[in-house]
Amino acid sequence: MKSARITGPNEPLKVSESQTPKPLGNQVLVKVKAVGVCHSDLHLWEGGYDLGDGQFMKVTDRGVKYPVTPGHEIAGTVEEIGSDVTGISKGDSVLVYPWIGCGQCPACKAENENLCDTPKSLGVFQDGGYSDYSLVPHYKYLAKLDGVNPDSATSLACSGLTAYTAIKKSNQNMPEFIVVIGAGGLGLMGVQIAKAITKAKIICVDLDDQKLDTAKEMGADYVLNSKDPETSQKIISICNNMGADSVVDFVNAPPTAKLGLSVLRKRGNLVLVGLFGGSIEMSLVTIPLKSIIIQGAYTGNYHDMLELLDLARKGIINPMISKRYSLDDANTALEDLKARKILGRAVINP
Ligand code: NAD
Ligand code: ZN
């Protein structure tokens, strides 16, 4: 099989051939039709996360081993199944749930494998889908597409799933206004999902007017370019001069986290999702006085992915795929994402 692999931080991805694996027991071999290009692939390629104050969290310290094949948004057809597989047959069109856990820790026992203490996620801790084949360790991680287009389905495994978890968290205080920061792959799904599952008015913020136009088409009631120094005051004034009930920060860097905190009303809810990173100082006393909640959101569980597939099947959400690349162009795909040239999601069609 042919794979585009990360051999080390910031090294060009290397396209190489290896033996196509044979699925054993519960394993399933999926022929990859499409794999989403996520900003998290970029962090993996860059070698880690910005902790702020010049500190860097290396992915290798979190258990990543190079070389690794990235790609955690995998859709394809079942090529071959192991002898113990049931309910899945050769030729089925499937989406792969990549957030595989240990199966033993409290999170896994509660069916939240995405929050496992020792994750084994595909495309991060084990080889993923920048490849023409992907070996899925157990058939329970597959979901049938049943009519959803494979290119669109890819984003439901990460960008859609993460946005779904985050928007559900932002909806806990019955918001009248939700601010979505970042109109990239995740944020545009966030706007659509917020429109579909909440009653809130949606305010979307980004640095790029074209992305904001798309956010508006996808259901944002207000869009603001945060290059404008008045953005914070403008958001507060849209929110009846009280501030926003919830903010979902799909960037989560110092300027966006500060913006989020500055517009949050009393009893507000800040959901941090992006991994751009860095650090901020904050006034501690306002947290109890305003009784705000600051929480993180990390991907989502398998059942949420099934719910999302259903929303996509009914046309309630429509993941936007704006660019397609071949496996040989994996480097260009990542470079384009880094240069903010991609609207919504790009996929690689191996
Ligand atoms: P993307 O590159 O598609 O989109 C990022 C968007 O943020 C772009 O539209 C960009 O213009 C905008 N942006 C950047 N800096 C900004 C700023 N200062 N102010 C306003 N807007 C700004 O990325 P993506 O694939 O949507 O991923 C977003 C982040 O979420 C990444 O850090 C990614 O690793 C992370 N992520 C987190 C999870 C999770 O479970 N928590 C899952 C997947 C991805
Ligand atoms: Zn992702």
Side-chain angles (χ1 to χ4, degrees):
M1 66 181 190
K2 183 172 163 180
S3 314
R5 312 195 77 201
I6 302 177
T7 55
N10 300 307
E11 294 292 327
L13 271 72
K14 203 170 155 204
V15 178
S16 56
E17 289 281 347
S18 61
Q19 182 91 41
T20 307
K22 261 201 113 38
L24 304 169
N26 293 316
Q27 295 174 337
V28 175
L29 184 70
V30 172
K31 182 157 180 50
V32 181
K33 293 279 179 206
V35 58
V37 181
C38 179
H39 207 110
S40 295
D41 304 336
L42 266 182
H43 298 307
L44 186 66
W45 190 30
E46 288 163 353
Y49 308 93
D50 177 8
L51 293 174
D53 298 328
Q55 311 258 34
F56 192 71
M57 183 201 284
K58 288 187 188 169
V59 290
T60 45
D61 292 340
R62 290 186 70 221
V64 170
K65 289 189 184 73
Y66 296 121
V68 65
T69 307
H72 49 266
E73 297 188 344
I74 309 165
T77 50
V78 173
E79 177 81 9
E80 223 183 316
I81 58 175
S83 52
D84 300 332
V85 173
T86 57
I88 292 282
S89 319
K90 213 175 146 170
D92 282 350
S93 290
V94 290
L95 177 62
V96 179
Y97 178 80
W99 311 110
I100 294 175
C102 66
Q104 307 295 325
C105 74
C108 286
K109 284 192 176 144
E111 301 193 359
N112 291 319
E113 290 198 37
N114 54 309
L115 303 178
C116 174
D117 290 328
T118 49
K120 296 171 173 45
S121 322
L122 296 178
V124 185
F125 301 107
Q126 49 183 323
D127 286 336
Y130 282 32
S131 186
D132 48 6
Y133 290 100
S134 172
L135 185 67
V136 179
H138 196 292
Y139 62 91
K140 69 180 179 183
Y141 297 116
L142 299 175
K144 289 190 190 167
L145 293 186
D146 284 337
V148 181
N149 167 288
D151 284 5
S152 315
T154 57
S155 37
L156 307 179
C158 176
S159 55
L161 186 59
T162 305
Y164 193 39
T165 306
I167 296 296
K168 276 190 188 171
K169 289 188 172 188
S170 77
N171 201 27
Q172 282 164 344
N173 56 351
M174 290 181 289
E176 193 182 344
F177 292 97
I178 297 177
V179 178
V180 168
I181 305 181
L186 267 67
L188 288 177
M189 289 301 301
V191 168
Q192 290 189 45
I193 291 168
K195 202 74 199 166
I197 70 166
T198 79
K199 294 193 171 80
K201 290 251 184 294
I202 299 144
I203 304 168
C204 184
V205 177
D206 200 286
L207 296 169
D208 182 320
D209 286 332
Q210 200 192 356
K211 291 180 178 174
L212 289 172
D213 289 344
T214 311
K216 195 136 206 196
E217 282 163 26
M218 293 191 162
D221 298 284
Y222 305 89
V223 294
L224 293 165
N225 191 316
S226 51
K227 281 183 188 155
D228 177 352
E230 312 265 287
T231 303
S232 173
Q233 292 93 303
K234 284 186 177 166
I235 293 174
I236 293 170
S237 108
I238 293 168
C239 304
N240 305 323
N241 289 316
M242 298 299 284
D245 306 272
S246 291
V247 175
V248 186
D249 188 350
F250 288 108
V251 180
N252 192 22
T256 58
K258 280 185 203 157
L259 175 68
L261 281 166
S262 75
V263 301
L264 216 54
R265 65 163 295 160
K266 204 166 181 180
R267 301 178 301 280
N269 180 2
L270 176 63
V271 186
L272 301 176
V273 185
L275 303 171
F276 277 64
S279 61
I280 58 166
E281 276 195 12
M282 56 185 170
S283 137
L284 293 174
V285 81
T286 52
I287 300 171
L289 287 181
K290 286 171 84 176
S291 191
I292 59 173
I293 295 173
I294 301 175
Q295 58 184 320
Y298 187 76
T299 69
N301 67 29
Y302 176 78
H303 299 287
D304 283 341
M305 191 179 90
L306 295 186
E307 286 175 25
L308 273 179
L309 267 168
D310 201 43
L311 290 177
R313 222 170 270 128
K314 291 177 179 149
I316 296 171
I317 56 166
N318 232 323
M320 180 186 190
I321 308 298
S322 64
K323 261 190 165 170
R324 291 170 174 79
Y325 297 86
S326 70
L327 208 50
D328 291 321
D329 287 331
N331 281 294
T332 318
L334 286 175
E335 294 288 3
D336 286 353
L337 182 63
K338 194 173 182 170
R340 299 199 189 143
K341 286 186 192 162
I342 290 167
L343 203 53
R345 254 312 184 241
V347 294
I348 293 173
N349 298 118

